[in-house]
Amino acid sequence: MARVTNLALTMMMTALLTAFAYFAYQGHQTVTLTGGTQLVTGIGILPYYAFRSFLRMLGAYILSLTFSLIYGYKAGTDPRAERWLIPVLDILQSVPILGFFPAAVYFFVSLFKGSILGVELASIFLIFTSQAWNMAFGFYESLTTIPRDIKEATTAYGVTGWRRFFKLYLPAGIPKLVYNSIMSWAGGWYFLIAAEIIALGPVEYSLPGLGSYLVRTTERGELFRTMVGLLTLITLITLMNIFIWRPLSTWAENYKYEFGGGGNHIPEGWGYRLWWQAPGFREVRLIVLKVGAYLSQAVEGWAIKIEKRTANWHFYRRMMMGVRSLINWILLLLVAYALIRGLIALFGLLLLPWQPEIFSIPKAIFFSFLRLLAAYFISLGWTLPVAIWIGHNDKAYKIMTPIFEILASVPATALFPVIVFFLVTLTGGMNLAAVLLVLTGMQWYLLFNLVAGVKSLPRDLKEVAAAFGLKGFHYLSRVVLPAMVPSLITGSITAWGGGWNALIVAEYVVYAGQTYTAFGIGSLLDTATYGTGNFQVIWFSLIAMMITIVFINRFFWRRLYEEAVTRFKIET
């Protein structure tokens, strides 16, 4: 019976993939015949749009993962670098995606002279800015919360260099990388709309994809097509959850710290059986795992050989130090060049007559901050108990996590028709609607980080608590909540960063040809970017946002995080 079920599931997936490939090919033919980037809004084109959007997301994710491993490793292992790398990351993760539009347009689009390749690279770069920071923070947190005894043991056994990275740092970061990868993909889907339609004043570049399809049909008030596009996106997200994220989440459980031994976790359920046991898929999975293991061993082996040779051969060691120094100087010069050009441009903007909107920026920041504060407390109010519940209940975790992953990936634009109709029409204003839209950009960062914090509790610690009779409130206050504090603060930092980003879709809504706004820094940025193209307002708004965010992070969140790492890190 099980063999028949697995065979049926295999045939079903093969049929779905074949159908998807056929419609994607037909969509490619249609888009090519209609003029490259011209947007076709017919429902039959959606599989092709889904394929194009997925490729952009995948390219951005590969860049984000590479960036997170390098950046998080440097910040988590070098205290001197940490002092300036983390503040830079605080700024970058809080800059709205619109803030990167000028860089995307003038660097990628101008470099390739407006060709489709330049626009595609610009789109991938913009998606990268919505994925990378959360993963980098998660990997950094994993490295800073490694138990001291484990670090001392690796040092005592002479585990250094690349071997230390592969045997200590990377395994320690796998759980957070997996959970934050889910969140980063959700963030990429969330801002896909802004990444596939790049506008700067009257200049606009559109790419075929689900994001551009959703925004165009929403602007025209074509509710049915919007819902079909949203259903296509949800289907793609669901398939990724079943065949990628759930098996990876279960596999990541093997890398959390335990005081004793623990067996490997094997996924359950029909979706997992298809991936782990079904005929054909099982062989593919084994081949993928063998190739991955071979490549991992090869890379680690070559890295260790290079390290040994450079350690023994003075000449090559000096050469590598010289190359590293040269790369550092090149990077420093590039940063200095970009900074000088930016300061010259900023000075030029200061000399121009100041626009009236600039004087309203402090008031706009204040109103936006109040919306973020309200959305944060609402998020915390429901995510904390839900994370504790599903983190301790395997059945609830298996059922609820996929639902939350899908909801986290739904672009806020898809909610515009409902929110505009029910809230704006009934209340006569956008304030409540803006808070709810900001909520969609904050709550999931908190939830997934809190769930990761609960799931990282060692099994032995739970057993000890049960042996001492800790239950209910005492168990929560003495075991669960203290262990969750680092994840809570990391989630809060990324949630506020996501909230500042979400302002651009929360305070400026276009539906059925009509624009709805709520006064705030997000609406100022949207109006300046999509409407007037006024660089003075754009840059002043971004600078005001960055100053506010750095002040909050450095004098509040970072101090809380340092205290949490010192007091609540689990030691073995």
Side-chain angles (χ1 to χ4, degrees), residues 101-139:
F101 269 33
V105 171
Y106 285 104
F107 182 77
F108 294 102
V109 178
S110 299
L111 181 64
F112 292 91
K113 300 180 180 179
S115 68
I116 186 66
L117 177 61
V119 182
E120 286 284 1
L121 291 176
S123 178
I124 292 173
F125 167 74
L126 292 173
I127 297 172
F128 164 84
T129 65
S130 65
Q131 288 185 340
W133 326 130
N134 181 58
M135 293 170 61
F137 263 121
F139 191 57

Side-chain angles (χ1 to χ4, degrees), residues 214-452:
L214 286 172
V215 74
R216 291 303 187 213
T217 53
T218 301
E219 288 176 352
R220 298 169 187 170
E222 298 172 349
L223 185 58
F224 175 72
R225 290 185 174 183
T226 302
M227 291 299 104
V228 175
L230 182 60
L231 182 62
T232 304
L233 176 59
I234 291 174
T235 302
L236 182 57
I237 295 166
T238 304
L239 292 175
M240 287 190 63
N241 175 72
I242 293 173
F243 298 108
I244 298 177
W245 298 127
R246 295 310 301 276
L248 280 178
S249 298
T250 307
W251 170 71
E253 291 289 309
N254 296 309
Y255 292 92
K256 72 179 185 180
Y257 291 113
E258 299 284 2
F259 298 114
N264 291 337
H265 298 272
I266 302 299
E268 301 175 358
W270 71 266
Y272 304 140
R273 288 199 303 272
L274 178 60
W275 173 247
W276 291 86
Q277 299 176 2
F281 276 86
R282 181 169 56 185
E283 285 73 13
V284 171
R285 181 180 64 84
L286 289 174
I287 292 173
V288 171
L289 290 177
K290 286 181 180 180
V291 172
Y294 173 78
L295 290 176
S296 176
Q297 292 176 358
V299 171
E300 182 181 353
W302 278 106
I304 293 171
K305 288 180 181 178
I306 292 173
E307 183 183 1
K308 287 182 178 179
R309 291 181 179 181
T310 54
N312 297 329
W313 300 349
H314 185 67
F315 170 76
Y316 287 107
R317 188 177 181 183
R318 289 185 61 186
M319 184 179 70
M320 291 300 295
M321 291 178 63
V323 171
R324 183 183 302 177
S325 177
L326 178 62
I327 293 173
N328 288 337
W329 275 106
I330 291 174
L331 291 175
L332 183 62
L333 289 174
L334 288 175
V335 171
Y337 173 75
L339 184 61
I340 292 171
R341 288 295 301 268
L343 289 174
I344 292 173
L346 182 61
F347 184 72
L349 291 175
L350 287 171
L351 295 179
L352 295 174
W354 285 22
Q355 300 296 315
E357 294 88 347
I358 293 176
F359 298 99
S360 63
I361 287 177
K363 186 179 178 181
I365 289 279
F366 177 73
F367 275 84
S368 295
F369 176 80
L370 292 181
R371 295 187 186 104
L372 288 169
L373 194 63
Y376 175 75
F377 282 116
I378 295 173
S379 301
L380 191 61
W382 78 267
T383 56
L384 186 60
V386 168
I388 294 173
W389 171 53
I390 66 177
H392 285 85
N393 189 321
D394 290 337
K395 187 175 181 180
Y397 176 79
K398 293 175 183 176
I399 296 173
M400 298 305 299
T401 304
I403 297 174
F404 289 140
E405 289 167 3
I406 293 170
L407 292 175
S409 304
V410 175
T413 304
L415 305 174
F416 288 172
V418 178
I419 291 177
V420 169
F421 179 77
F422 285 103
L423 295 180
V424 178
T425 304
L426 296 177
T427 63
M430 267 286 293
N431 282 311
L432 182 57
V435 171
L436 291 180
L437 287 171
V438 168
L439 190 68
T440 65
M442 294 185 76
Q443 57 192 356
W444 309 116
Y445 290 98
L446 269 174
L447 179 66
F448 283 98
N449 276 280
L450 290 174
V451 169

Side-chain angles (χ1 to χ4, degrees), residues 75-77 82 139-146 151 561 565 569:
T77 58
E82 180 187 17
F139 191 57
Y140 161 75
E141 183 205 337
S142 298
L143 301 191
T144 56
T145 55
I146 294 176
K151 288 184 177 180
Y561 183 79
V565 169
K569 181 168 68 175

Side-chain angles (χ1 to χ4, degrees), residues 46 49 78 184 189 288 457 471 489 515:
L46 283 172
Y49 284 171
D78 189 342
S184 291
W189 292 122
V288 171
L457 273 172
K471 297 180 180 179
I489 297 174
T515 302

Side-chain angles (χ1 to χ4, degrees), residues 467-535:
F468 280 98
L470 290 177
K471 297 180 180 179
F473 175 77
H474 293 291
Y475 172 69
L476 290 177
S477 61
R478 297 183 181 183
V479 179
V480 179
L481 292 177
M484 291 175 68
V485 169
S487 295
L488 170 63
I489 297 174
T490 299
S492 297
I493 294 172
T494 54
W496 275 80
W500 286 107
N501 273 273
L503 288 173
I504 64 171
V505 295
E507 296 178 346
Y508 186 93
V509 177
V510 179
Y511 176 65
Q514 187 172 352
T515 302
Y516 303 87
T517 61
F519 178 71
I521 196 66
S523 60
L524 283 181
L525 264 174
D526 281 310
T527 303
T529 302
Y530 293 118
T532 62
N534 192 314
F535 277 96

